Structure formats: structure tokens, C-alpha cells
Amino acid sequence: MASRGVLAPILYLVALAVGSVSIAEVCWMSVTSYRSAYALDRLFEAGPALANRVIVVVLDGLRVDRAVGLRAMGALSEQGVSGTMRVTLPSLSNPARAAIVTGAWPEVSGVTNNSDFASPPIQSLFSLAREQGMEISVYGSGFWRRAFRDHIGDSSASSPSGKASSYETADLIAWQADTCAEATALVRNSSAKLQIVGLLAADEAGHVYGGDSDGYREVTAAVDNCLGRLVGAAGEDATIVAVSDHGHIDRWGKGGHGGEEPEVINAPFAMAGPGVRRSEPIKARIVDIAPTVSILLGLPIPANSQGSPLWDALDVPAEHGSALRNLERVQREALGNHLPNREVALAAQREQRLPLAIASCAWFLWLAVVSLSRSRPLASIAIAAMVFVAAYYALFFLLQLGYSMSSMVRQEYIYFFLGRLVAVAAMAFGAAAYCLRRLVGPGNGPVIRLSTLVTSVFAILVTVTYYIHGLRMVDWMIEIVPGFKAYLHLLSILGVVLATIAAVAANSFVGRNEARAS
Ligand SMILES: [Zn+2]
């Protein structure tokens, strides 16, 4: 067993694995360390208020199909308007919450994920209300205070005082009832003209039980019940905007969000009260909430708002119609002049990636062809490669992985998810290497050629995504769906290389024992 011929290719494969993991890390870091450079620092004019008081109720993780038939959502829809909103990508709560109060998509707000972000350096409904001396009140996720401390001030924000004692449906509902009592008291006793109330229980149930489950159904009904109580506590002079921040998938009895599945990327909303007229269901975007609330409260439209006031749903007195629409026109025009052209910028980035993409593709294609051409008989490596593909996808499915951020279940589970992925690639390669050994007999050469072929194919797939979409977040949001898939391919390379080293070590061990025995 010549270890001389093995060392160089093993070193190459290790370097490839280290490089792949490093690239994956750099790509994810480019999202979490992203800071928006798009602040437009200009205070726009405001119109007359259409409403006296606006309460935005954020129903965390309520799915569109679950909102159908809910009593309080139905009542709002009956008196005003309802519909669906396209949420942010990634479809995570914090990027969506930031969008609700700034009107800006993640690349402009800078809130690109749930864990690492800076305070959005842009205007929000909070900062604009405070500038006008308007009282605000925020209840719900700690995100609001963390991201908008300077806009909100310490005293106006609070979070639920208790936590759910477990994820059992009954405990989630009990927790929901406690937080509802706090929120309702706050709404009843507050004189704030702008109030945000976040109800978090539906999202927890969605994660634990899945978006199609009975547990989710029960908890969402309790959340809707709370929405009804909030509407009652608010009284008739309040305008209610109820909106979800994302939906939930349902896979193997678990939920999750972050990806682009239709049940995740669309969220229900309903609004009613002074300033809102009865209208047909509408399709909107989550960035439309901030400018709509601005028009309702007579606040300037947030300078970085990329949304539009929901004019079809607003009850605008005829004498103010053109003046109010002009507010939007002026803001959108100024923002349009301020923001660079996304398509042009992305096309330029793609062009810059071309030389490296061609070089990378050529290198890995050459390696793949060499691995194939040196394999005797050729069919053996082809069969082993097919075994790898079959085992990889079978295990990928069995271990409940998926090519969407939603399949992580929660962002905090990312390392558990990635650990399983590396194990899948390693086990699949182990199966393929075993099959190869049965076909051509023992030896490290065939295993290394198979490993080079498989890792090269993964690398080519990553290179194609690199060229088309880019892997790092540079100035603009990366394409989450192909980006996440490329991320998984990069980590699969690690799994294959680990299994290769194990196979070579086992081969050498068995070879030495056989030599000793003869
Ligand atoms: Zn969630």
C-alpha cells in the first residue's frame, strides 16, 4: 500500500474542505455583519391625520390559511380590509419587524437575520412619532428595544413578563393568556397614539408542531381571541392593523420559516377603524405598513420606506386626496434618486465574478474528467458515484434536511442542522466507497478518485451559483434560496473529505493486517 501516492491528493482534499468551510463561514458572516449604507437623512412633510390612534398588532408566525375563519381577524376584515402581505426574505421575524416600522427591506434596514444586526440607521415610525411629540408604546419581543432603543426610549417598551413553562399546547395557551392580559391592560390604559403589540405564542406553536398541526390551530385560535380582546380594549376610536410577520411550513410534524415557501413568504393582515374604508381583499407587501400608518397618523413617510400607502384601503377625504398622494410621490422620488440601481449594481457584480467562475469551473471539470479517465473499469466509479447520489438524497430526506432555511426549524438550530448535513455527506460517501471496494478490490487510488469526482461536482454546483447569484452579501441582499443550497453543498464537501480520510485510514489498516497475515 503506497502511502506516498496518497499524501498529495489527501492534502489537496483537506485544503478543499477547509476552503469550503471558510467560504461558507464568510458567506454567512457577510449576512450577519452587513450594515446598511442606505440611510436617507431627510424629513419629509406630513399630511393631516386620518386616525387618532393606531395599534399595530403583530401576530408572530400566523399563516395565511390559518387566518381564514378566525373570528377577530374576520371581524376586522368585515369592517375594513384584509389580504395577504409578502414578507421579507429571509422570512424571519426581526427583518420583518424592522420592515413593519421602517418600510424598508432588509438590505436597506440592515436587519438581515434574527441574531446579529445593528440598529437600523434609518427613520422609523417610532423616531418620526417622537419627533412630533407623539406618545408611543411597544409591547412584545425584546427586538423592538434592542433595535430601536434610541427611537423608542426605555420607558415606552416592555416585553411579556413570563415565559411559557413548556411547549405543550396548554402551556403555550396559558402563557398566551397571561401576555394577553398584560397587553390588553396596556392598550386600555395607554394614551399612546402609536402602539405596537406583538403576540408571540402562535410562532412557538408553529415551530414545535408545524403549520398544519392541531397544536398550531389551537394556539392560533387563542392568539386571535386575544386580538379580539385588544380590539375591544382599544375602543372605537382606535385603528387596528393586525399583521403577521411570516407563516410556517409543516414538515415531519415541525414548522419553520426563513425560506421562500408560499405558506411562509405570505402573511395575513387585516385592518379596520377610523381612516380605513371597507374594501376588497388586497395583496400587499410588509413594507407597505409603515407608509400606511404614517398617512393614518399624519406622520411623514419614513425616508427609506420602499413601500406604498395602501390607498385602496384608506378613507381619504376628497379634499386631501391629491396632497396626500403627493407626499408619497415626493418621498419615493427622493429615495429613488438616493438608492443606487439594484439591477445595474448586481449585473456589474456578476461581471466581476466571471473570470474566477470560469477558472474555478475549468479546474474542477478537469479534476472530474481526470478522476473518471483514470478509473478502471470506468463503470465502477460511475456506479459508486450513483450510490453516493442515491444515499446522499435518501439520508438527506431521512434526517429531515432540506434546501431551505425553513427546514432548520429555528435559526438557533443551525449548527445541529449543519452537523446532520455533514454526517449525511460522510455516510453517503462511506457507502459509495464500500461499494467501490466490492467492485474493484481494496486500494486507496479508487477511493481518492471517487472523492475527487464527488467534491468537484459539488464545487462546480457552488461555482455556478457563485457566478449567477453571488455567495456573499455585497451591498444587496443575497439570493437566500440558491445561496442556502450552495452553503449546504460547501459543507457537504467537508463530509465527503472526512469520510475519504476515514476510508483511506481503514484501507491502510486492513492492508497492513493482510500483509502481516500473509
Ligand atoms: Zn419563528
Side-chain angles (χ1 to χ4, degrees):
M1 205 68 46
S3 59
R4 203 161 32 87
V6 173
L7 192 63
I10 287 285
L11 281 178
Y12 161 75
L13 288 169
V14 169
L16 180 68
V18 171
S20 302
V21 173
S22 308
I23 291 171
E25 184 64 15
V26 165
C27 295
W28 181 235
M29 291 275 292
S30 74
V31 175
T32 56
S33 62
Y34 174 78
R35 300 292 176 259
S36 167
Y38 296 126
L40 171 58
D41 194 18
R42 192 173 143 188
L43 191 62
F44 289 94
E45 276 183 40
L50 307 180
N52 186 34
R53 183 180 180 207
V54 174
I55 301 171
V56 180
V57 184
V58 184
L59 307 156
D60 198 336
L62 178 64
R63 216 163 97 152
V64 169
D65 58 350
R66 262 312 290 149
V68 177
L70 289 180
R71 225 154 30 121
M73 283 297 273
L76 287 176
S77 159
E78 191 83 352
Q79 294 154 28
V81 63
S82 65
T84 58
M85 292 204 150
R86 195 174 163 84
V87 301
T88 54
L89 251 185
S91 48
L92 299 170
S93 290
N94 288 344
R97 289 173 183 138
I100 287 172
V101 292
T102 63
W105 293 113
E107 59 204 4
V108 172
S109 77
V111 181
T112 56
N113 70 105
N114 269 354
S115 52
D116 298 314
F117 50 83
S119 292
I122 57 177
Q123 293 170 6
S124 68
L125 291 174
F126 302 133
S127 67
L128 294 165
R130 292 249 298 190
E131 250 161 79
Q132 295 217 349
M134 197 180 268
E135 196 185 330
I136 56 182
S137 155
V138 183
Y139 176 85
S141 160
F143 165 80
W144 299 110
R145 216 171 336 169
R146 188 178 149 197
F148 294 101
R149 182 181 289 269
D150 297 342
H151 298 199
I152 297 174
D154 277 334
S155 56
S156 320
S158 57
S159 295
S161 53
K163 272 189 173 343
S165 54
S166 84
Y167 288 133
E168 292 293 320
T169 311
D171 290 332
L172 285 173
I173 290 174
W175 174 57
Q176 160 60 33
D178 292 344
T179 60
C180 189
E182 287 177 3
T184 313
L186 206 62
V187 164
R188 188 174 291 118
N189 302 326
S190 171
S191 52
K193 283 184 177 297
L194 170 63
Q195 195 153 22
I196 306 269
V197 177
L199 300 177
L200 306 166
D203 185 53
E204 297 295 346
H207 281 291
V208 179
Y209 301 111
D212 271 333
S213 63
D214 288 340
Y216 181 67
R217 228 178 300 278
E218 285 170 40
V219 177
T220 48
V223 169
D224 178 70
N225 185 277
C226 181
L227 173 63
R229 288 178 55 192
L230 290 169
V231 173
E236 299 224 312
D237 80 319
T239 305
I240 308 285
V241 180
V243 61
S244 165
D245 52 355
H246 57 74
H248 264 283
I249 57 165
D250 193 316
R251 278 179 86 197
W252 301 290
K254 292 241 181 313
H257 52 92
E260 206 177 15
E261 297 85 355
E263 65 271 36
V264 167
I265 197 74
N266 297 301
F269 87 99
M271 64 180 196
V276 177
R277 65 188 185 88
R278 277 189 70 172
S279 48
E280 292 296 306
I282 50 181
K283 272 192 163 167
R285 301 166 306 157
I286 201 154
V287 290
D288 297 334
I289 302 248
T292 303
V293 172
S294 282
I295 295 293
L296 281 167
L297 283 175
L299 292 172
I301 293 176
N304 279 92
S305 162
Q306 296 170 285
S308 294
L310 299 171
W311 296 116
D312 289 343
L314 291 173
D315 190 12
V316 180
E319 68 268 29
H320 297 312
S322 60
L324 284 178
R325 279 177 185 264
N326 201 42
L327 296 178
E328 183 199 5
R329 200 183 50 74
V330 170
Q331 181 267 335
R332 291 306 291 271
E333 224 171 77
L335 184 66
N337 293 333
H338 174 73
L339 289 183
N341 184 307
R342 186 178 194 274
E343 271 60 49
V344 170
L346 290 181
Q349 287 183 8
R350 186 178 305 138
E351 206 168 302
Q352 285 174 2
R353 291 192 297 263
L354 187 60
L356 187 55
I358 290 175
S360 167
C361 248
W363 167 252
F364 289 110
L365 263 177
W366 180 75
L367 279 182
V369 169
V370 167
S371 314
L372 279 172
S373 65
R374 293 206 180 143
S375 299
R376 297 281 178 278
L378 185 61
S380 61
I381 195 168
I383 291 169
M386 281 190 282
V387 169
F388 174 80
V389 172
Y392 182 83
Y393 285 108
L395 289 166
F396 193 86
F397 184 79
L398 277 175
L399 290 190
Q400 307 183 350
L401 297 167
Y403 285 125
S404 159
M405 274 181 86
S406 304
S407 34
M408 285 193 300
V409 182
R410 288 179 195 264
Q411 190 185 329
E412 305 88 85
Y413 295 174
I414 185 165
Y415 290 108
F416 177 54
F417 181 89
L418 298 178
R420 274 181 295 159
L421 175 85
V422 172
V424 161
M427 288 189 287
F429 189 80
Y434 176 75
C435 160
L436 194 60
R437 188 186 165 92
R438 298 300 298 259
L439 288 171
V440 299
N444 287 326
V447 174
I448 284 171
R449 280 191 285 275
L450 177 65
S451 180
T452 308
L453 174 67
V454 170
T455 52
S456 297
V457 171
F458 274 127
I460 289 168
L461 292 175
V462 172
T463 304
V464 170
T465 306
Y466 163 75
Y467 170 62
I468 299 176
H469 303 287
L471 300 176
R472 265 186 332 121
M473 185 169 178
V474 183
D475 301 334
W476 305 96
M477 195 70 215
I478 56 165
E479 293 285 342
I480 289 288
V481 176
F484 191 73
K485 194 167 182 175
Y487 193 92
L488 300 192
H489 286 153
L490 283 166
L491 289 163
S492 298
I493 290 176
L494 172 66
V496 170
V497 171
L498 290 176
T500 307
I501 294 169
V504 168
N507 246 339
S508 309
F509 181 73
V510 171
R512 212 172 300 139
N513 276 358
E514 280 169 0
R516 208 175 295 146
S518 58

